[in-house]
Amino acid sequence: MNFSDFNLKKELLHRLSEIGFEKPSPIQEKAIPLILEGKDIVAQAQTGTGKTAAFGLPILNMLKKGEKALIVTPTRELAIQVSEEIFRYGRDLGIHTASVYGGSSYNRQISQIKTSQVIVATPGRLIDLLNSGRIDIAPKFVVLDEADEMLDMGFLDDIKEIFKFVPNDAQKLLFSATMPKEILNLAKTFLKEPEFVKITTQNLINENIKEYCYVIDEHERKDALIRLIDYKAPSKAIVFCRTKRDVDDVAEYLKGIGLNASGLHGDMEQRKRETIIRNFKTNKLDILVATDVAARGLDVNDVSHVFNYHLPLDPESYVHRIGRTGRAGKEGMAISLVTPYEFKALSKIEKISKITLKEIPTLEDVKNTEIKKIIEKINNIDASPKSIEIIEELQNEFDLFTIATKFAAMLFEKEAKGKERIGKSLKEAKRLIEREKFNSSNSNSGRRNYKNRNQRGNRYNRGRRR
Ligand code: ADP
Ligand code: MG
């Protein structure tokens, strides 16, 4: 299936090819035609599957002059991201987008709302503006994006409040990575005979994959990644990141320390992406740093290691990511870095996987395995006429021991570096996880807390959003 099968306006099709979207993703394939028919929908698909375009494209296609679309997202980061993404798709249609969130000037946002046809807002600020009568929008389309996240953050009442301002005949779309009962109830209350669309990934965990996770502090992520790369010596690896910014950042860092790595994400030029993928397939590139979506459809059989730089937020993405290794009967390894802020995601993943908690090897551990590997290499290699010639030549100047140590030093050119210890000990990691379990089973007011913490300003968002 192609985007042209949807009968989209030529301005949109043209933009899509410029941006480098070749084919609709599965959720786009299912959702776009229904939305274009005017149906209310409830759509479920994991993070990174292209939900923004799934609702953005048909809305842009249908939005007439003077009409408005309202998209509600849980966080300010997402509001900005979705707003930018939709502006990018609709650029040639001349449709402006506004992002509306707390902690920023009212006046600017109000004037942006007036001149924009697509308004992407977080619940709190939107309610503020609506209740105080400072804006008056009667949207033709309403999207609840990441609905599960909004409920988790305690925004249910706010959402109900927002719907009071939505005209009855508006088309309403609800997108979510998971579909808990509360979301279905929400859909029942506010949507009109919605169609349900669901994209599932198979929860089949491959027996050939070993799964390990390591508990660290946020500031240790890069050191931990490098230590584990040094220790595991992957022949071919994918490092998954949540955001494009992380992809750039991690790829640059790995390159900086001399690893053969490259980033891959949707903002890169199509030609460049193709080259990177080809290099990865043909073993010219050892480490690919990618977002979930950029790596989707990447068909490579001999990936030895998958690294999760951050844990994905939902278990389905996890399964999807680690499925990149251990293919075609080969052994694979999946390695996840986890901070205490990700324990919630970890506990979901633990339920469907066989992930084991581990301790990050010390610098000494790495050096010892390096020595072992070099000894093994020397054991397995035979002398050649050329090598004999070199030794004979060197013997004019050095004794054999000196010559041998010089050669060994040559093999050690890229010696592992860094702190002796990185991350939590196994004991400490277990203690932290137990504590988290205890805390979450004892707090019924957890949801409200999230919301308050989030509004305050705000550690919750920082580490956790794409
Ligand atoms: P979700 O909301 O499901 O988490 P997003 O809408 O944020 O996913 O999309 C994730 C990334 O995938 C974005 O960078 C987007 O540009 C890219 N993307 C979306 N649809 C496609 C497509 N059909 N082909 C290639 N990339 C896509
Ligand atoms: Mg999204």
Side-chain angles (χ1 to χ4, degrees), residues 268-369:
M268 295 168 124
E269 201 191 320
Q270 173 82 3
R271 276 244 300 285
K272 191 166 172 204
R273 271 187 287 160
E274 281 167 10
T275 312
I276 291 169
I277 290 172
R278 196 168 46 241
N279 288 346
F280 191 55
K281 282 188 179 172
T282 55
N283 300 327
K284 281 185 206 141
L285 178 68
D286 300 335
I287 302 174
L288 185 73
V289 186
T291 55
D292 290 88
V293 168
R296 196 187 54 212
L298 185 74
D299 186 23
V300 184
N301 269 335
D302 50 356
V303 173
S304 64
H305 293 73
V306 163
F307 292 87
N308 290 314
Y309 188 69
H310 287 108
L311 270 193
L313 296 176
D314 60 305
E316 287 179 353
S317 307
Y318 176 82
V319 174
H320 207 72
R321 284 180 178 188
I322 72 168
R324 297 322 173 99
T325 182
R327 286 194 179 184
K330 295 195 183 89
E331 294 263 296
M333 192 176 285
I335 289 171
S336 302
L337 301 178
V338 183
T339 67
Y341 286 105
E342 296 168 289
F343 283 166
K344 198 175 145 206
L346 178 63
S347 74
K348 287 191 208 159
I349 289 167
E350 276 176 329
K351 288 193 188 116
I352 56 143
S353 72
K354 48 180 177 51
I355 196 165
T356 320
L357 201 59
K358 288 279 236 183
E359 218 169 274
I360 296 184
T362 62
L363 188 59
E364 170 146 358
D365 292 335
V366 176
K367 290 191 168 157
N368 288 339
T369 52

Side-chain angles (χ1 to χ4, degrees), residues 50 56 83 134 216 220 284 309 325 399 406-407 446 453 456:
S83 165
R134 277 194 267 196
I216 54 163
E220 294 178 304
K284 281 185 206 141
Y309 188 69
T325 182
D399 62 68
K406 279 177 184 286
F407 273 105
R453 203 194 310 174
R456 271 210 314 267

